[in-house]
Amino acid sequence: MQCDIRKYFPSIDLDILKNILHKKIRCPSTLWLIDKIIDNSNEQDPSIEYFPGGTLLTPLTRKRGLLIGNLTSQFFANVYLNSFDHYVKENLRCSKYLRYVDDLALFSDEWQYLQHCRTSIENYLATLRLKIHPVKSQQFETQQGANFVGF
């Protein structure tokens, strides 16, 4: 199963990102700098996406998005999905899993298991206010190999 997170960089919720970083980093000066970098990210075009626990106006009131190409954005994007990686490996017990920023792949001989994983992944990503791309995310046999991050 191959998945792509829909509009990943523009969809990263900045409050969630800062919360994740504040749990891991204790240095006040470093946190101050990180907050300045994140708080001064360019505002992204609003996309109306609803998630559990939100209100009608939540998609318009939460600040989202990191600049693509900025080195801190690449680092923050990987940190943002670190708990997701642990979820896939430890809770879903997927032994054949890889992720590069917003692209991920799970391998299994069990078709039903991969369908279960997709549902679980969608539910977990919703807690991070993310969705998988409906067209770029699919299951298929890999007898001929699979394209991943352009290769």
Side-chain angles (χ1 to χ4, degrees):
M1 179 177 69
Q2 213 168 8
C3 295
D4 178 80
I5 298 176
R6 187 175 184 273
K7 297 183 179 181
Y8 181 53
F9 280 90
S11 298
I12 293 174
D13 186 287
L14 300 186
D15 286 337
I16 293 173
L17 174 61
K18 287 176 21 177
N19 188 22
I20 291 168
L21 292 166
H22 281 252
K23 287 181 182 176
K24 297 290 183 187
I25 299 170
R26 296 287 177 233
C27 174
S29 298
T30 303
L31 289 172
W32 174 85
L33 180 59
I34 287 171
D35 286 346
K36 287 293 181 195
I37 292 169
I38 292 171
D39 290 340
N40 289 295
S41 295
N42 289 353
E43 190 70 35
Q44 300 295 311
D45 290 332
S47 113
I48 308 301
E49 298 284 353
Y50 292 98
F51 296 94
T55 67
L56 183 63
L57 297 177
T58 298
L60 301 174
T61 59
R62 294 187 71 99
K63 191 170 179 191
R64 298 171 298 112
L66 294 174
L67 295 172
I68 297 172
N70 189 351
L71 292 177
T72 56
S73 296
Q74 293 174 23
F75 176 75
F76 294 154
N78 279 318
V79 169
Y80 197 75
L81 288 179
N82 182 58
S83 64
F84 171 73
D85 293 335
H86 284 276
Y87 175 78
V88 171
K89 295 296 288 179
E90 296 163 10
N91 292 65
L92 297 180
R93 301 199 185 280
C94 183
S95 61
K96 298 171 186 89
Y97 164 73
L98 57 105
R99 178 180 68 84
Y100 181 76
V101 188
D102 64 334
D103 295 304
L104 57 114
L106 289 81
F107 299 89
S108 175
D109 293 329
E110 303 295 325
W111 196 263
Q112 298 286 32
Y113 169 72
L114 291 175
Q115 288 177 329
H116 163 73
C117 286
R118 180 178 174 134
T119 302
S120 297
I121 285 169
E122 288 172 342
N123 291 336
Y124 189 92
L125 289 176
T127 67
L128 296 172
R129 305 187 61 74
L130 299 171
K131 293 185 177 186
I132 62 172
H133 194 288
V135 176
K136 295 180 183 177
S137 302
Q138 55 189 314
Q139 281 182 235
F140 55 89
E141 293 185 12
T142 57
Q143 292 173 346
Q144 301 301 321
N147 290 331
F148 190 71
V149 294
F151 296 96

